[in-house]
Amino acid sequence: SISAPLRAELMQKLREIMKKNMTADPDMWERVKVLQRSMIDSLWEDVEKEIELNVELAWLQPIDPNLQPEQASKSCYRFFRRKVLRHYLPFDRSIFGKLRDPVYVALTLTMLIPNAGFRVSVLSMILTFILFPRPPDEFQIINFILLCKGTQFLTGGLVSMGQGASIYFGCFNWHEANMTDCIAERGPGNVSSLIGELADYWGSIVLVWIAFLNLPFAQEHRQQKRLKLQSGPQISEPTPAEANSQRLRIDRGGRMSSLLNYDVACFAFSLLVLVVLSGGNFLLRKEDSVSAYRHFLENIFWCKVLYSLLSMPFALFTIQPLQQVLTHAAPTGFNDFGECVPFRMADKPVGSLSSIGSFSVAEP
């Protein structure tokens, strides 16, 4: 509270310096200058908010991440949930640490299979484990949305596009005489069933919106620690103005709603392309040509690829610093008991490098 005005003044000066440097070119069009100033103002609001939240996070008392719950259920669902979440969404390992975990690698490779809805099946299981038991964690819901769309761009977009191109290339090179029959029998739309294609296509948006609709009911561990501190004698009750300020600063999901509106527009566009392609195939179809159903399968495959490639902006925000600026949710993970706790990097093992240029030797 004491240093808040100083931080605000410093951030204001830095913003003005950045705006001045970005628009210093005398030949730059005035409309471009206005656009750049507007972008800096919008981005700077998120940067300031993230700095304030991290200052608060550093001040709040830490929660023991290995704390065992008072009443631990021994049901099969809880056991399976605890094991999956501990390996896939741990509280003490980054992506580099998770890549050393065979369970995490197996789940990730399963989601890279572009056919038969493997990715949607694994994501449905993870979303169920995050939402139940309730209430879910805010960061985990946001992280799931970005994870779902990021893997959609990778699997449904890049991998599926490469798969379809490889099939066309093979038919052109090794079945040139009957290339149409080769595509009809082995084409991209025939590598999976209609149910599997629709599950992957529609599941990519249904799972995201199920998670987003549960966001208002989520809790954030920073709020729990804040209430714990306020219950002590040394912390006074916040005034109505302070309470309103906190409510405005901690907006559920940050700018996630804007990205999801973009996602709905992309999905609607892909459906429009599907309708146009299918209608054109039906009107122009000849009696001896490939069946309309076979054309429909091919159209679904490529419209799914189109929709997945348009999910590229979500993949950028899976990077942790960008994700925090976008959503303002403090990172969390799951411990050995299946409890969602604040993220904290694992302690450095004994015998590792302690600093640049110096070594720590383990005791024999």
Side-chain angles (χ1 to χ4, degrees), residues 53-65:
L53 292 179
N54 276 279
V55 169
E56 182 185 30
L57 186 64
W59 171 74
L60 292 174
Q61 295 176 356
I63 297 176
D64 185 5

Side-chain angles (χ1 to χ4, degrees), residues 342-362:
F343 182 85
R344 189 177 72 182
M345 198 66 69
D347 295 332
K348 188 180 299 182
V350 177
S352 62
L353 290 176
S354 58
S355 60
I356 298 178
S358 63
F359 298 87
S360 68
V361 182

Side-chain angles (χ1 to χ4, degrees), residues 190-205:
N190 210 28
V191 297
S192 180
S193 64
L194 176 61
I195 296 177
E197 290 292 331
L198 289 177
D200 197 48
Y201 187 21
W202 287 79
S204 299
I205 190 170

Side-chain angles (χ1 to χ4, degrees), residues 39-73:
M39 291 178 59
I40 292 174
D41 287 335
S42 179
L43 177 63
W44 211 254
E45 180 183 349
D46 288 307
V47 172
E48 287 182 312
K49 185 181 295 185
E50 186 59 29
I51 289 175
E52 292 300 317
L53 292 179
N54 276 279
V55 169
E56 182 185 30
L57 186 64
W59 171 74
L60 292 174
Q61 295 176 356
I63 297 176
D64 185 5
N66 295 309
L67 186 64
Q68 184 174 1
E70 297 180 0
Q71 295 179 350
S73 176

Side-chain angles (χ1 to χ4, degrees), residues 57-236:
L57 186 64
W59 171 74
L60 292 174
Q61 295 176 356
I63 297 176
D64 185 5
N66 295 309
L67 186 64
Q68 184 174 1
E70 297 180 0
Q71 295 179 350
S73 176
K74 297 182 180 180
S75 64
C76 294
Y77 170 80
R78 296 271 187 156
F79 175 81
F80 192 57
R81 173 185 180 274
R82 182 170 68 248
K83 293 298 182 182
V84 171
L85 294 180
R86 181 67 180 101
H87 287 280
Y88 197 77
L89 300 169
F91 78 94
D92 57 350
R93 288 199 296 271
S94 66
I95 181 62
F96 302 103
K98 289 191 288 187
L99 288 175
R100 301 172 60 183
D101 185 349
V103 177
Y104 174 83
V105 173
L107 290 173
T108 302
L109 291 178
T110 302
M111 286 194 289
L112 291 179
I113 301 176
N115 305 327
F118 281 98
R119 182 181 63 87
V120 172
S121 299
V122 175
L123 288 173
S124 299
M125 175 185 65
I126 293 175
L127 179 60
T128 302
F129 290 159
I130 291 175
L131 294 181
F132 303 101
R134 300 183 74 82
D137 180 74
E138 179 188 358
F139 173 82
Q140 291 301 328
I141 290 183
I142 295 171
N143 184 63
F144 173 82
I145 294 174
L146 296 177
L147 171 67
C148 184
K149 303 306 295 183
T151 55
Q152 179 189 355
F153 170 72
L154 182 62
T155 303
L158 297 181
V159 175
S160 294
M161 182 172 62
Q163 181 188 39
S166 299
I167 294 174
Y168 288 153
F169 182 78
C171 288
F172 178 79
N173 280 275
W174 294 293
H175 302 276
E176 185 177 356
N178 54 349
M179 185 169 60
T180 303
D181 295 336
C182 174
I183 294 176
E185 294 176 2
R186 310 175 187 177
N190 210 28
V191 297
S192 180
S193 64
L194 176 61
I195 296 177
E197 290 292 331
L198 289 177
D200 197 48
Y201 187 21
W202 287 79
S204 299
I205 190 170
V206 171
L207 289 178
V208 165
W209 276 94
I210 290 176
F212 183 70
L213 292 176
N214 278 275
L215 192 56
F217 309 101
Q219 66 179 5
E220 203 240 8
H221 80 270
R222 217 167 8 209
Q223 181 68 19
Q224 295 178 350
K225 292 190 290 185
R226 191 181 297 114
L227 293 175
K228 180 179 179 181
L229 286 176
Q230 289 175 359
S231 63
Q234 73 279 13
I235 302 297
S236 60

